[in-house]
Amino acid sequence: MAELLTLENFINGEFLPCTQLIDSYEPSTGKPYVRVPDSDKTEVDAAVKAAKNAFPIWSKTPVKERANLMMKIADIVESRLQQFAEAESKDQGKPIWLAALVDIPRVVLNMRSFAIAIQTDVNRSTVLHEQGAVNYTTSNPVGVAGLISPWNLPLYLLTFKIAPAIASGNTVVCKPSEMTSVTAWMFAKVLNEAGLPPGVVNIVFGLGPKCGAALVQHPDVPIVSFTGSTATGQYIIENSAPYFKKLSLELGGKNAAIVFDDCDLAKVIPGCIRSGFANQGEVCLSTSRIFVQRSIYETFLEKFVTATKNLKVGNPSDKDTKIGALISKEHLSKVLNYVKIACKEGGIIKCGHGKDLMDLPEENKNGYFMLPTVITGLKDESTCMQEEIFGKIVFNIYYWINSPVTKFLVSYLVLYFTSGPVVCVSPFETEEEVIVRANNVKYGLCASIWSENVGRHHRIAQQLEVGTVWCNSWLLRDLKMPFGGVKASGLGREGIFESLEFYTNTKTVCVKY
Ligand code: NAD
């Protein structure tokens, strides 16, 4: 068997091997292909120390110099776009073309956008004429930021944290997902090549409950930005509370698409196919519930199911592949189990389900594939209409037991669900009814409305309990717009202005003249 690629932690500009390693699997073949450091508190402490030492100089480095370094990093990544895309696809399971079209260009955009934004960032000032005083604000970096990211959009989401954090003068310790660590390790090499000073960005690899938790609980990390499941977000709130840490939490979603009978079905079908199944449905913003107005329900369903059946599932390197492999064997079996639960709860599978129905190339026979699946007939209270299949549910015991050892062990009793490509479709009658039903979940990340009536878009958008509403579109992103969720979907917002604000502490200075 070929030698496995072995990753090292990136601390103070050096690549440091770890004695304990975890095997990471290639989702499209089911074979182990990389060993990831199984870091614990020791490595996290070393990384935080390096970041803390680098902070005084980096925070005072002229903005222009910081921005130039970030531009250089972006240029290097862009020059290796295909190499990064192939690595992201191998690690995560998504088609290579998708990583080359979306993930890696977004890494470049993240670095460039914040490099530009930090140079135009301005503070506020007021004049109190009667009292003879001037007020102004300054935005000061917070310190060492802990950045924890998930496996679905690995380097895309990690750099959406690194870029604003370092642009505004913080130093960082990153903890990427243990399932998708390779591109972060490649990115670390780029940081050295670009000449980023040692200690500004440190990356420790490993498991969440061990390595991630050590970062969350570290007293020298006053600010934590996390993207991942709602269950882990809850853990982070509880475990960072004793330190009064600044938190940004981008969590799970159970997003609805609302399709009215005055929509243009020619736009809606490809729109809902994309929102339901892009990236194997493993996007926090994926549509998992489609509500369709009764008068066009049957027509919509027929067209949607036909389009779903046409999606090619298979080898991520094939340019015709629309759906790659799910992230892991465990996740795949849980998603398939989820479909079984849906059937028990009265669901009807209109298309999709398991690998046995697929004709996969020999090398992919043990990969974690499933067909995009459309389910109808479920009540709103059913499991598949309520739970984020993509996130994870942690048994409450995890939070009840205080011993760190028990906590760590019990965290492995986590019940994972991943939606992969599963969409539930349900009919509705009226606007009033569908608003209540769309809001009837604990999450509030995003929603989409499909209608040719502009007034209806504005009216409904105001009533949906979510952070983003897309009208006749999905995942059209402008980094200048705030992004985040309400309810169990998160705390805070990410975006050009919001992130720069998050990674700084604002100080008001009042000068009497
Ligand atoms: P996850 O919560 O299992 O893991 C996310 C990260 O947190 C990983 O790096 C993991 O190792 C780490 N982690 C796990 N337990 C931890 C702990 N106790 N302490 C500290 N760190 C810990 O989530 P996931 O399965 O990797 O990602 C899927 C979830 O992410 C879904 O719920 C999805 O909706 C959500 N997500 C949200 C957004 C958003 O912007 N709202 C974007 C992408 C993904």
Side-chain angles (χ1 to χ4, degrees):
M1 200 170 78
E3 184 86 354
L4 299 191
L5 171 70
T6 302
L7 309 188
E8 304 107 340
N9 286 319
F10 179 65
I11 299 175
N12 208 27
E14 289 181 58
F15 288 91
L16 304 176
C18 189
T19 44
Q20 301 294 319
L21 297 165
I22 316 158
D23 279 348
S24 181
Y25 291 74
E26 182 178 355
S28 68
T29 62
K31 289 186 185 150
Y33 88 106
V34 56
R35 293 210 165 109
V36 178
D38 181 9
S39 313
D40 61 18
K41 194 175 170 312
T42 313
E43 285 81 15
V44 171
D45 283 349
V48 172
K49 191 170 168 206
K52 203 174 165 187
N53 288 342
F55 180 74
I57 292 182
W58 181 250
S59 57
K60 292 188 180 60
T61 298
V63 164
K64 180 78 186 150
E65 211 175 299
R66 296 203 296 252
N68 285 348
L69 278 165
M70 291 175 65
M71 287 293 194
K72 211 162 163 189
I73 293 165
D75 291 347
I76 300 175
V77 173
E78 192 170 49
S79 71
R80 291 181 202 153
L81 191 143
Q82 192 60 21
Q83 206 179 323
F84 269 95
E86 283 170 19
E88 201 70 294
S89 159
K90 195 173 172 71
D91 219 16
Q92 204 272 344
K94 68 182 75 199
I96 294 176
W97 65 260
L98 183 66
L101 187 74
V102 177
D103 293 63
I104 309 306
R106 175 60 189 269
V107 172
V108 175
L109 183 69
N110 287 339
M111 299 312 286
R112 286 193 183 138
S113 301
F114 284 101
I116 293 166
I118 196 67
Q119 296 179 79
T120 53
D121 199 28
V122 287
N123 286 299
R124 265 190 294 164
S125 66
T126 61
V127 183
L128 302 175
H129 292 290
E130 284 176 15
Q131 292 95 333
V134 176
N135 277 310
Y136 64 89
T137 59
T138 57
S139 302
N140 307 305
V142 182
V144 177
L147 312 179
I148 304 177
S149 55
W151 48 259
N152 61 329
L153 297 163
L155 196 57
Y156 166 137
L157 290 174
L158 182 60
T159 52
F160 195 33
K161 300 181 186 306
I162 294 176
I166 64 171
S168 46
N170 301 277
T171 54
V172 305
V173 176
C174 309
K175 209 302 281 172
S177 169
E178 60 277 18
M179 285 184 271
T180 50
S181 298
V182 174
T183 50
W185 177 74
M186 290 167 64
F187 186 71
K189 291 180 188 281
V190 172
L191 300 179
N192 273 357
E193 244 178 281
L196 192 77
V200 173
V201 173
N202 304 274
I203 308 181
V204 279
F205 298 99
L207 299 168
K210 195 162 139 185
C211 176
L215 187 57
V216 168
Q217 292 171 14
H218 202 295
D220 291 338
V221 177
I223 171 167
V224 174
S225 176
F226 169 79
T227 299
S229 63
T230 295
T232 307
Q234 190 180 337
Y235 169 89
I236 290 175
I237 292 173
E238 290 173 8
N239 283 273
S240 59
Y243 306 94
F244 298 97
K245 296 192 183 207
K246 242 184 147 178
L247 289 185
S248 164
L249 303 174
E250 298 291 350
L251 310 177
K254 186 75 193 168
N255 313 303
I258 306 175
V259 181
F260 285 96
D261 59 7
D262 61 359
C263 71
D264 178 353
L265 271 183
K267 290 182 204 154
V268 178
I269 300 297
C272 288
I273 288 285
R274 194 171 148 257
S275 74
F277 301 122
N279 206 48
Q280 300 75 245
E282 295 169 335
V283 183
C284 54
L285 303 162
S286 292
T287 298
S288 57
R289 299 174 295 152
I290 305 183
F291 295 104
V292 186
Q293 202 153 24
R294 178 80 69 186
S295 55
I296 59 159
Y297 180 71
E298 292 303 334
T299 315
F300 172 91
L301 197 59
E302 193 201 320
K303 287 180 188 290
F304 187 65
V305 167
T306 305
T308 304
K309 283 180 179 165
N310 284 337
L311 293 171
K312 184 174 178 213
V313 182
N315 193 319
S317 61
D318 183 339
K319 63 178 178 12
D320 294 327
T321 292
K322 295 289 183 295
I323 298 185
L326 301 200
I327 185 67
S328 72
K329 193 175 175 181
E330 295 72 26
H331 283 204
L332 172 65
S333 83
K334 293 294 190 254
V335 179
L336 296 177
N337 199 36
Y338 223 79
V339 178
K340 275 192 201 150
I341 295 173
C343 291
K344 279 191 194 141
E345 292 183 341
I348 300 158
I349 299 179
K350 302 303 279 189
C351 65
H353 210 209
K355 190 162 64 170
D356 43 323
L357 306 169
M358 276 176 245
D359 187 20
L360 288 164
E362 198 51 42
E363 60 177 307
N364 300 118
K365 293 254 187 267
N366 292 322
Y368 315 135
F369 295 92
M370 75 174 281
L371 288 170
T373 301
V374 178
I375 306 176
T376 59
L378 288 172
K379 293 198 172 117
D380 285 2
E381 309 75 56
S382 69
T383 319
C384 272
M385 292 287 275
Q386 286 295 321
E387 282 303 327
E388 190 200 26
I389 310 178
F390 173 25
K392 69 179 179 185
I393 297 174
V394 177
F395 295 125
N396 279 342
I397 192 169
Y398 185 78
Y399 299 107
W400 295 339
I401 301 175
N402 279 325
S403 144
V405 176
T406 322
K407 261 187 179 176
F408 174 70
L409 290 175
V410 175
S411 67
Y412 282 94
L413 294 175
V414 157
L415 182 59
Y416 271 96
F417 291 119
T418 175
S419 68
V422 180
V423 169
C424 306
V425 188
S426 179
F428 73 90
E429 306 286 345
T430 66
E431 196 175 299
E432 295 71 27
E433 169 206 337
V434 78
I435 292 167
V436 173
R437 292 177 63 194
N439 286 338
N440 181 26
V441 285
K442 71 173 181 175
Y443 300 100
L445 194 54
C446 75
S448 54
I449 306 168
W450 299 88
S451 162
E452 291 298 296
N453 177 340
V454 176
R456 174 175 263 163
H457 282 288
H458 291 295
R459 192 165 59 238
I460 299 182
Q462 290 312 312
Q463 297 173 72
L464 292 174
E465 296 164 358
V466 292
T468 302
V469 179
W470 274 291
C471 303
N472 289 339
S473 62
W474 177 76
L475 201 38
L476 251 182
R477 280 281 286 132
D478 177 350
L479 298 194
K480 293 190 289 301
M481 298 307 287
F483 173 80
V486 300
K487 303 199 288 193
S489 289
L491 289 179
R493 293 288 179 270
E494 289 186 309
I496 296 284
F497 308 108
E498 291 70 21
S499 296
L500 291 180
E501 192 174 318
F502 173 69
Y503 289 104
T504 51
N505 284 328
T506 306
K507 185 179 290 176
T508 299
V509 181
C510 180
V511 182
K512 192 150 170 54
Y513 55 78

